[in-house]
Amino acid sequence: QLLNNGLPTVPPTFVSGTGGPLSFGMRDEGMYTVSAVNSDGCSALMSGSAQLLPGPVVHAGTDASICETQIYQASAQASNYSNLQWITTGDGLFSNSSVLNPTYTPGPNDILNGNVQLVLKAFAGSQCPGVYAADTLLLTIHRMPSIDAGPDLVACEGNNVQPVASASGYQFLYWTTTGDGSFDNPSS
């Protein structure tokens, strides 16, 4: 029978055995021992115990979006870890890839691709070497609109001016002036 901190597990766990390795499946953290009972009803405790430690838990944060000129501030959570490592699938840079909430500056390919995955790994302590948990978030990067108001123009008073402008990547645009003139259609 499996005991956790000296008490039978709930529900009780019984495994028939012949002296070989025993498996009790997934268990919560705690100090476990095994009580062996033979067919005559005699029992003995194993001569040691197995301590199950909680593994690392990590949440990289929710998927996010930024404009191409912005820097992303991580908002991650982690527990039961000894060290952390942020990894990017792109070419951007972390301010410090071994802290919980670094900033991330997108690289040129991140911006071109329009998104990048940021992966946070939390490693367990020395008692559980090689054990880690990982979580990924998707950072979407929106391109900035591009606009060219055209060359400078000179006009005589009373004459209309027709600017030659171009724009791309915008949802809407609006012409303004620092003077007292007006536009026929300021949103075209």
Side-chain angles (χ1 to χ4, degrees), residues 23-28 32 52:
S23 174
F24 293 100
M26 298 296 291
R27 294 283 162 195
D28 291 332
Y32 289 89
L52 296 181

Side-chain angles (χ1 to χ4, degrees), residues 50-99:
Q51 183 178 10
L52 296 181
L53 301 172
V57 178
V58 66
H59 176 62
T62 55
D63 293 347
S65 7
I66 61 172
C67 294
E68 69 179 292
T69 57
Q70 293 178 315
I71 295 173
Y72 172 72
Q73 174 64 61
S75 181
Q77 297 174 337
S79 60
N80 306 324
Y81 65 90
S82 64
N83 56 346
L84 300 165
Q85 179 185 19
W86 279 97
I87 302 166
T88 175
T89 60
D91 62 344
L93 298 172
F94 290 100
S95 58
N96 183 339
S97 63
S98 61
V99 298

Side-chain angles (χ1 to χ4, degrees), residues 134-149:
D135 190 37
T136 302
L137 71 85
L138 180 67
L139 180 63
T140 301
I141 303 158
H142 301 287
R143 301 294 301 259
M144 296 296 290
S146 172
I147 189 164
D148 180 1

Side-chain angles (χ1 to χ4, degrees), residues 15-185:
V15 176
S16 298
T18 59
L22 300 175
S23 174
F24 293 100
M26 298 296 291
R27 294 283 162 195
D28 291 332
E29 65 180 284
M31 187 67 70
Y32 289 89
T33 54
V34 175
S35 171
V37 180
N38 66 16
S39 59
D40 296 326
C42 299
S43 66
L45 289 175
M46 69 183 231
S47 62
S49 60
Q51 183 178 10
L52 296 181
L53 301 172
V57 178
V58 66
H59 176 62
T62 55
D63 293 347
S65 7
I66 61 172
C67 294
E68 69 179 292
T69 57
Q70 293 178 315
I71 295 173
Y72 172 72
Q73 174 64 61
S75 181
Q77 297 174 337
S79 60
N80 306 324
Y81 65 90
S82 64
N83 56 346
L84 300 165
Q85 179 185 19
W86 279 97
I87 302 166
T88 175
T89 60
D91 62 344
L93 298 172
F94 290 100
S95 58
N96 183 339
S97 63
S98 61
V99 298
L100 187 58
N101 290 307
T103 59
Y104 181 77
T105 303
N109 288 327
D110 295 343
I111 295 167
L112 253 165
N113 293 331
N115 64 60
V116 63
Q117 291 183 339
L118 305 180
V119 181
L120 176 59
K121 287 185 176 182
F123 294 89
S126 60
Q127 293 177 315
C128 301
V131 174
Y132 68 90
D135 190 37
T136 302
L137 71 85
L138 180 67
L139 180 63
T140 301
I141 303 158
H142 301 287
R143 301 294 301 259
M144 296 296 290
S146 172
I147 189 164
D148 180 1
D152 292 343
L153 300 172
V154 176
C156 295
E157 184 177 341
N159 291 337
N160 288 336
V161 175
Q162 182 67 42
V164 180
S166 63
S168 64
Y170 64 90
Q171 184 176 1
F172 62 89
L173 57 87
Y174 191 81
W175 285 91
T176 61
T177 178
T178 57
D180 59 1
S182 63
F183 294 94
D184 289 339
N185 186 354

